[in-house]
Amino acid sequence: MADPIPQPPTIPFLGNAHLIEKEVPVKSLMLLAKEYGQIYLLRFPGRTSIIVSDLDLVDQVCNEKRFHKAVQGGLREVRHLTGDGLFTAFHGEKNWGLAHRILMPAFGPAKIRGMFSSMTDIVSQLLAKWERFGPEYMIDPTEDFTRLAFDTIALCAMSYRLNSFYSLDMVPFVTAMGSFLSEAGHRAQRPSLVQSYLVPSANAQFESDKTAMMDLTHEIIRKRKESGDDIDDLLGLMLKAKDPETGLGLSDESIAFNLVTFLIAGHETTSGLLSFAINHLLKTPSAYAKVRAEVDEVLGKEPIRPEHLSKLPYITAVLRETLRITPSVTAFTVKAFEETVITSGDKAYKIPVDAGVVVLASQLHRDTKVWGDDADVFRPERMLDGGFERAPKNAWKPWGNGMRACIGRPLAWQEAHIALASVFQKFDLVLDDPSYQLHLKSTLTIKPAGLHIRAHVRKGAPLSVHTGVPAQQSVAKADDSANLKGGLPLYIAYGSNSGTCKDFAQRVGTEAPAKGFNPSVVTLDSIESNIPTDGPVIIVTASYEGEPPDNAGRFVEALKRTAQGELANVRFAVFGCGHHDWVQTYQRIPTLVDHLVAEFGGQRLLERAAADSGADDFFDVFDNWVPTLWEALGKAYGDKVTIKQEAGDTLSVEVTSTSRAAVLKRDEASGLGTVVENRLLTKPGVPAKHHIRIALPEDVTYQSGDYLAVLPSNPAESVRRVISRFGLLPDQQIIIKSTVATTLPINVPISVSEVLTGYVEISQMATRKNIQDLIKLSPEITARKLEGLAADYKDKVHDKHLSVLDILELYSDIKITMATFLQFLPAMRIRQYSISSSPLWNPEHVTLTLSVVEAPSGSGSPRKFLGVASNYLASVRPGDRIHVGVRSSPPAFHLPEEALPVVMFAAGSGIAPMRGFIQERSVQVASGRKVGKATLFYGCRSPDEDYLYANDDFKEWLKLGFLEVRPAFSRATDLSGGSKYVQDRVWNDRDTIAEAYQSGAKFFTCGSPGVANGIKEVIYKLIKDAQPSWDDQQVEAAFERIQSDRMATDVFA
């Protein structure tokens, strides 16, 4: 007896259509696959689809003796344009066989090799455009690769030049095609009544788009016929060749259908492939560096030739891996010749003749049984050394299946190799927005949305074929720097995720003009292979769990491959940031950068400086380092610059009666989310914790375990205090003017309240330098008191978290202007919170679970110290718009495949990512999936005060049978087996831990450094308990193996 195929609930008339996202349907299909499993059924108006994504099932439905290609859904709508052309012909249609036999010779190896010069011709036009527009031009690679692929198919297959690179406007065919294909997908989801009568404007546009595309198709055919040219290309075969089996040629209608098919299919996949490849490489610095190294070794400065292609194995691996993780064609459909059964394990599923079976390649390609636990990670190395060849036959299906697979894939494959190698030979690429996360847009294929890059001509790159423009050394556009001319160039290059290193770099850039320098504040990636030599280079960077920041990864990888002596003319200094809680990786990247630059010939201007963000003197270390930097620069460049120790006020403020609001943005949180819900989770009398639900900006996606970046605002009470101290009105308008670069809104009227609310960190702890500057503004008695603060800084300032505002309120006789006060404050920073939900619950919403920071004021005032971001989020209400963005967590901090058990350790709001993991598995169980056991060890005060989600979510999820929760109540140990903290409960339940480890469980920790260290210590004890004869070194080695293979930790300060 056949087993039922899982199916989501339906609604009348629409069936399951309401579950499918209109803009990018594959996202919904992949989420449903995670929820319902390897096979599930969907009903749409007029058709039934069975979606499969497991290799065992795919193997069976790709058997061409049992199944054949099905043209349904959006593809069936495309037949209105392409008829019985190769791509959209129904199974068994006579013209498909005729065209296939006639046209196959056009894609043989010799023919494809003969297209090489035409392909390089078009590629050279792309290179010339990027070079001509220069490094400041923001490139839309998806658009330009569309031009490239469209011009290539027209020239190679039809000997027709479209010359799209010679116009700023896209070819009308491509514009019409995008609109047509999108509407084809939408039509497939509408009931026939709605389609026929309720969308007249969409129908009219559909016909208009069809006409525009056929006009070009007929023009190409007409011009060829009129010319009388006998050209041996694809169009020539269509016009003159005869079928070797029947002796028939193609009819005029069939020629038109197939020509328009090639114009569409011949460029869509290639442009998507190249665009996705660029995105993945820019996000994977190690792979980017390997591509460039391979191109340099094989091509050098020579133009690419056919014999080079076989010598580019890493580029081949990149393209294969790109098609695996982001196939442009996300799925294809087959139907059974007769009713049949497909099996998986002990399950047997009946496949009716009238049901389309959709092979969801996007999900198939992430099967961990085939591609490993890191199947969600872009790693081209998996395709090398026989890895691709060893993969099962049907595990990689980006081109379709069997006889109906893409006929033009050899053309696309050669074109992609030429384009990628040529681009890397000519340019260094950088993301326009280093925080960009991949978004998708969809017609019948998918491509990146919102991806923008900049292209810098590489030093010594070969000349462009058509322009003759010499390659020039270029440095990225200064980020937030003043457009100043004159002075010695000074490059301040930063690597930063949270914004602190960027702010430090900006600070140096702000002071530079007064010292005689012309500053450029840039990301490290922007000088990746072109470290400037015409001025000093100041590097300010951090480490993140031992890895480079997002905008410094490629720089570090390139640095590792630098040749001895190559940096001989570079003069540099390094300032590193880190946190001592990450003992093993503290300052790893700043140390590595400093070492490598010097090793390869760079000249240090001064020794590397290191600041610990977990120490009381973090900002002081930087403040003290800056004068040392200027002193060193003065010694090195004294004849070219004038080093002044005091720049004085660089801002001025004037009051005006006009008004204009400006919005402060950080790239990492540039989208606008909408608050849906904000509820208090805890009882009165304990630290407040909130559950906040936010609707994400359009096209933003996430996985459970990811982070939400939030741009907060200062608490109203903090703003009110500043306004009171300076005797201003909240709505009073000011104009800020600056002689140097600043992150404040300048030269526009803006209210005092708006500046203070959104642009500066009012509560930032005062630094020693701040206090020294305040001493200069104070009368003698107050100055002596401030000197006492500076002398006993740790006890009187750091430990009490005393801010500049606190000091100004304590000493009202300090004479300070608003301009000087603003100069003291750093720019508002992004905060990052673990997401506490799963996209299987809602792909468009996230939830946060956060603690609200309130503490007694260190100044002795009855006022409280208020955490900026937590109080901001605690105050938001449904309907409020807030600046947010999603940041991916490390690959290790994602759920393993659903069959594996997981063990989670958390305390307080550290439960956030664990709730997301548990919610994901609860949705899977509710949908009929079998999942591995989930065990949560959770620490809080008591079951009545702050046992988060115990009486709602966890109560329901526990009923599903997959979840166990082991609490530790610090104020009610009698209710948690005598366990006070989470690590105590782990030790008490160590048999559970051992059992989970033996069953292959993965372990997750989230919480403060105290929680993480407590878990680490108890795991050491567990190892020692299991192996009493081991010494400390053996125990440490065992822990490191567990941490590397089976354990992921997320620590928040």
Side-chain angles (χ1 to χ4, degrees):
M1 183 175 177
D3 293 286
I5 299 175
Q7 180 187 6
T10 60
I11 62 175
F13 302 111
L14 293 179
N16 296 119
H18 65 293
L19 299 176
I20 306 302
E21 181 185 316
K22 181 180 178 182
E23 299 304 323
V24 189
V26 69
K27 292 196 296 188
S28 302
L29 296 177
M30 293 180 71
L31 287 172
L32 288 169
K34 291 186 74 173
E35 181 175 347
Y36 288 92
Q38 60 193 7
I39 181 171
Y40 62 92
L41 184 147
L42 298 176
R43 296 196 188 278
F44 300 99
R47 76 179 197 278
T48 297
S49 293
I50 298 169
I51 289 81
V52 297
S53 55
D54 173 79
L55 180 60
D56 290 341
L57 297 173
V58 171
D59 269 339
Q60 295 167 70
V61 303
C62 286
N63 184 338
E64 292 184 277
K65 294 180 179 179
R66 299 175 62 191
F67 292 84
H68 61 81
K69 177 173 177 174
V71 177
Q72 65 176 43
L75 198 57
R76 191 183 187 103
E77 296 296 330
V78 175
R79 277 183 62 97
H80 289 286
L81 173 69
T82 58
D84 59 5
L86 285 174
F87 191 48
T88 50
F90 293 131
H91 178 72
E93 277 194 294
K94 180 182 66 175
N95 277 341
W96 179 85
L98 195 67
H100 193 263
R101 291 188 294 271
I102 288 174
L103 300 180
M104 270 300 291
F107 298 99
K111 291 290 187 182
I112 296 299
R113 188 182 179 96
M115 299 176 186
F116 194 91
S117 62
S118 293
M119 290 181 178
T120 57
D121 181 341
I122 304 300
V123 167
S124 72
Q125 294 179 35
L126 176 137
L127 302 180
K129 176 186 175 181
W130 289 6
E131 185 174 14
R132 184 170 64 250
F133 278 78
E136 307 305 326
Y137 178 68
M138 186 176 71
I139 297 166
D140 181 343
T142 302
E143 179 179 299
D144 278 351
F145 286 137
T146 296
R147 294 174 187 265
L148 172 79
F150 193 55
D151 280 19
T152 298
I153 188 65
L155 182 59
C156 291
M158 304 156 204
S159 304
Y160 189 89
R161 287 192 178 272
L162 290 162
N163 294 323
S164 66
F165 283 108
Y166 295 91
S167 171
L168 290 176
D169 297 324
M170 184 58 81
V171 176
F173 183 103
V174 175
T175 304
M177 182 200 69
S179 171
F180 178 88
L181 294 180
S182 294
E183 176 60 16
H186 298 157
R187 289 161 75 98
Q189 297 184 41
R190 297 185 190 123
S192 56
L193 179 66
V194 172
Q195 183 59 58
S196 298
Y197 299 106
L198 301 183
V199 286
S201 60
N203 289 337
Q205 186 63 50
F206 191 71
E207 291 301 318
S208 174
D209 292 334
K210 186 175 79 170
T211 300
M213 288 184 281
M214 289 309 295
D215 284 348
L216 177 61
T217 302
H218 290 306
E219 179 187 345
I220 293 172
I221 296 170
R222 178 182 58 79
K223 287 189 174 181
R224 173 64 66 86
K225 288 181 175 180
E226 289 176 353
S227 72
D229 294 337
D230 185 13
I231 303 174
D232 185 17
D233 59 8
L234 187 74
L235 179 55
L237 284 175
M238 290 184 190
L239 291 170
K240 296 187 176 182
K242 303 298 181 184
D243 174 22
E245 186 175 303
T246 65
L248 299 175
L250 296 178
S251 67
D252 288 347
E253 181 184 57
S254 185
I255 291 171
F257 283 158
N258 280 290
L259 195 69
V260 75
T261 294
F262 278 104
L263 285 171
I264 295 173
H267 85 274
E268 270 287 275
T269 304
T270 313
S271 61
L273 167 60
L274 287 168
S275 302
F276 281 125
I278 291 296
N279 172 78
H280 296 319
L281 289 169
L282 287 172
K283 286 293 188 179
T284 314
S286 59
Y288 184 102
K290 289 177 182 178
V291 169
R292 189 172 59 188
E294 183 173 82
V295 168
D296 289 349
E297 179 181 351
V298 176
L299 270 64
K301 296 183 180 181
E302 299 178 4
I304 191 167
R305 299 191 302 273
E307 57 267 28
H308 287 142
L309 298 184
S310 63
K311 301 174 183 177
L312 299 170
Y314 197 79
I315 285 182
T316 299
V318 164
L319 295 174
R320 284 172 171 166
E321 178 73 346
T322 299
L323 286 172
R324 183 191 70 81
I325 200 166
T326 43
S328 295
V329 179
T330 60
F332 59 88
T333 306
V334 297
K335 281 188 175 181
F337 283 108
E338 59 185 14
E339 185 175 289
T340 188
V341 172
I342 58 176
T343 60
S344 179
D346 59 352
K347 299 285 187 181
Y349 305 105
K350 184 171 71 174
I351 307 298
V353 174
D354 61 346
V357 181
V358 178
V359 175
L360 186 57
S362 293
Q363 192 69 22
L364 168 71
H365 290 177
R366 294 170 185 247
D367 189 336
T368 55
K369 296 190 296 295
V370 176
W371 302 108
D373 291 338
D374 64 347
D376 285 335
V377 177
F378 177 79
R379 185 170 62 82
E381 288 73 15
R382 79 176 84 243
M383 299 293 180
L384 295 173
D385 302 322
F388 177 74
E389 290 76 13
R390 286 192 300 271
K393 175 184 176 183
N394 291 309
W396 189 79
K397 304 290 287 186
W399 304 109
N401 184 58
M403 288 291 290
R404 295 299 298 269
C406 174
I407 192 174
R409 58 188 180 273
L411 184 153
W413 202 237
Q414 177 170 288
E415 179 187 358
H417 277 76
I418 293 170
L420 201 58
S422 300
V423 165
F424 270 73
Q425 184 188 37
K426 183 73 176 180
F427 298 107
D428 282 322
L429 307 178
V430 294
L431 286 166
D432 181 62
D433 174 7
S435 66
Y436 172 79
Q437 298 288 326
L438 180 63
H439 303 313
L440 302 177
K441 59 183 178 181
S442 175
T443 51
L444 287 184
T445 63
I446 58 169
K447 293 179 182 178
L451 173 64
H452 294 100
I453 63 174
R454 296 181 190 273
H456 302 260
V457 176
R458 294 182 62 186
K459 187 177 181 179
L463 298 178
S464 294
V465 175
H466 291 288
T467 63
V469 178
Q472 296 180 0
Q473 180 175 341
S474 58
V475 177
K477 180 181 180 181
D479 181 10
D480 296 330
S481 293
N483 184 20
L484 302 171
K485 295 183 179 180
L488 180 71
L490 173 66
Y491 303 95
I492 310 104
Y494 64 87
S496 179
N497 279 359
S498 67
T500 301
C501 286
K502 180 178 180 179
D503 291 341
F504 282 170
Q506 185 64 58
R507 158 83 182 278
V508 175
T510 297
E511 295 187 11
K515 314 290 185 184
F517 290 98
N518 181 10
S520 295
V521 182
V522 298
T523 67
L524 279 167
D525 276 352
S526 71
I527 61 168
E528 164 201 2
S529 63
N530 196 11
I531 301 179
T533 57
D534 59 339
V537 180
I538 312 304
I539 296 171
V540 186
T541 188
S543 290
Y544 291 88
E545 299 181 16
E547 296 301 318
D550 292 343
N551 50 17
R554 289 196 7 247
F555 173 82
V556 172
E557 288 299 323
L559 203 55
K560 292 176 183 177
R561 293 170 171 79
T562 302
Q564 194 67 40
E566 189 174 335
L567 305 182
N569 295 319
V570 174
R571 307 182 79 177
F572 75 101
V574 174
F575 185 91
C577 296
H579 194 294
H580 64 257
D581 281 334
W582 285 268
V583 178
Q584 295 178 333
T585 59
Y586 177 67
Q587 295 282 338
R588 177 179 175 270
I589 296 304
T591 303
L592 179 65
V593 167
D594 181 70
H595 168 73
L596 291 177
V597 175
E599 181 180 348
F600 296 129
Q603 305 168 51
R604 285 192 186 93
L605 293 163
L606 69 167
E607 292 300 310
R608 176 179 60 86
D612 179 0
S613 62
D616 60 7
D617 61 351
F618 176 58
F619 291 98
D620 291 322
V621 171
F622 179 75
D623 286 339
N624 294 331
W625 176 77
V626 172
T628 307
L629 171 66
W630 294 129
E631 182 180 348
L633 290 171
K635 291 178 180 177
Y637 298 96
D639 57 332
K640 299 178 181 178
V641 297
T642 303
I643 302 297
K644 302 175 184 177
Q645 292 304 316
E646 296 295 335
D649 284 354
T650 56
L651 295 180
S652 66
V653 172
E654 67 179 75
V655 178
T656 178
S657 59
T658 58
S659 172
R660 180 187 171 190
V663 178
L664 175 67
K665 292 183 179 180
R666 293 273 196 180
D667 292 340
E668 305 94 320
S670 57
L672 283 176
T674 304
V675 177
V676 178
E677 177 188 15
N678 185 350
R679 59 186 169 97
L680 184 65
L681 297 173
T682 49
K683 294 292 179 65
V686 298
K689 293 179 173 60
H690 282 248
H691 174 89
I692 300 171
R693 180 174 174 181
I694 300 167
L696 292 170
E698 187 177 357
D699 295 332
V700 173
T701 60
Y702 73 103
Q703 297 184 65
S704 54
D706 283 348
Y707 307 110
L708 192 73
V710 178
L711 182 63
S713 297
N714 284 306
E717 170 62 13
S718 300
V719 175
R720 188 201 62 75
R721 289 168 58 198
V722 178
I723 290 172
S724 176
R725 172 63 174 78
F726 286 94
L728 299 171
L729 296 173
D731 57 354
Q732 194 160 4
Q733 300 294 302
I734 61 174
I735 294 178
I736 301 173
K737 297 183 178 180
S738 179
T739 60
V740 298
T742 178
T743 54
L744 295 170
I746 58 174
N747 303 323
V748 293
I750 187 170
S751 71
V752 172
S753 177
E754 187 174 357
V755 172
L756 296 173
T757 298
Y759 288 88
V760 290
E761 296 274 0
I762 294 175
S763 300
Q764 177 69 49
M765 183 171 56
T767 66
R768 287 185 174 88
K769 184 177 187 304
N770 291 153
I771 297 172
Q772 293 298 329
D773 288 340
L774 288 174
I775 288 172
K776 300 171 187 176
L777 302 173
S778 304
E780 185 176 350
I781 295 175
T782 298
R784 285 200 296 270
K785 293 178 181 178
L786 294 180
E787 288 169 354
L789 287 181
D792 196 7
Y793 180 83
K794 185 177 187 306
D795 290 339
K796 293 183 177 179
V797 180
H798 180 273
D799 292 351
K800 295 182 177 181
H801 205 98
L802 215 62
S803 67
V804 172
L805 178 59
D806 290 328
I807 295 173
L808 292 178
E809 290 178 328
L810 286 172
Y811 304 103
S812 59
D813 57 350
I814 297 176
K815 303 299 182 183
I816 183 172
T817 65
M818 173 64 83
T820 302
F821 176 71
L822 291 177
Q823 283 181 250
F824 280 9
L825 304 181
M828 182 62 74
R829 292 189 295 273
I830 295 292
R831 270 63 166 187
Q832 181 172 285
Y833 290 92
S834 291
I835 293 172
S836 62
S837 59
S838 164
L840 298 194
W841 159 74
N842 190 328
E844 297 175 349
H845 288 195
V846 297
T847 64
L848 301 180
T849 305
L850 58 94
S851 298
V852 182
V853 178
E854 289 187 2
S857 170
S859 66
S861 162
R863 287 187 290 265
K864 292 182 177 180
F865 168 77
L866 303 176
V868 174
S870 62
N871 279 273
Y872 166 69
L873 288 170
S875 70
V876 297
R877 295 292 177 263
D880 288 352
R881 305 297 299 279
I882 62 176
H883 286 286
V884 297
V886 170
R887 280 181 174 169
S888 297
S889 60
F893 209 84
H894 288 140
L895 273 175
E897 61 177 286
E898 67 273 5
L900 282 179
V902 293
V903 179
M904 298 161 284
F905 312 116
S909 59
I911 200 172
M914 312 312 182
R915 179 183 181 273
F917 292 158
I918 295 167
Q919 184 181 56
E920 181 150 316
R921 292 211 161 170
S922 75
V923 175
Q924 291 173 326
V925 171
S927 301
R929 305 284 298 281
K930 290 183 178 180
V931 302
K933 181 179 178 181
T935 305
L936 172 66
F937 289 84
Y938 180 59
C940 60
R941 291 190 176 200
S942 76
D944 299 325
E945 295 177 305
D946 59 350
Y947 190 7
L948 305 185
Y949 304 109
N951 296 319
D952 40 47
D953 294 335
F954 286 161
K955 184 176 181 180
E956 293 302 314
W957 296 338
L958 284 166
K959 294 177 183 177
L960 297 175
F962 74 97
L963 175 66
E964 283 189 10
V965 182
R966 308 286 181 91
F969 300 123
S970 62
R971 307 291 175 89
T973 56
D974 56 314
L975 299 178
S976 55
S979 303
K980 185 173 185 179
Y981 299 117
V982 64
Q983 57 264 39
D984 301 329
R985 187 65 191 255
V986 172
W987 177 251
N988 288 344
D989 294 356
R990 53 190 176 276
D991 289 344
T992 299
I993 300 295
E995 179 185 339
Y997 185 81
Q998 292 301 321
S999 63
K1002 186 169 180 180
F1003 297 83
F1004 296 91
T1005 301
C1006 184
S1008 67
V1011 172
N1013 291 332
I1015 294 299
K1016 180 178 179 179
E1017 289 170 7
V1018 78
I1019 291 177
Y1020 269 68
K1021 285 177 64 178
L1022 290 171
I1023 297 171
K1024 190 70 174 177
D1025 187 57
Q1027 301 289 344
S1029 63
W1030 282 7
D1031 59 25
D1032 290 346
Q1033 189 173 1
Q1034 289 173 303
V1035 172
E1036 173 71 25
F1039 175 77
E1040 289 181 358
R1041 286 195 299 272
I1042 294 171
Q1043 193 174 39
S1044 173
D1045 300 333
R1046 303 274 293 277
M1047 190 170 186
T1049 301
D1050 189 4
V1051 181
F1052 54 81

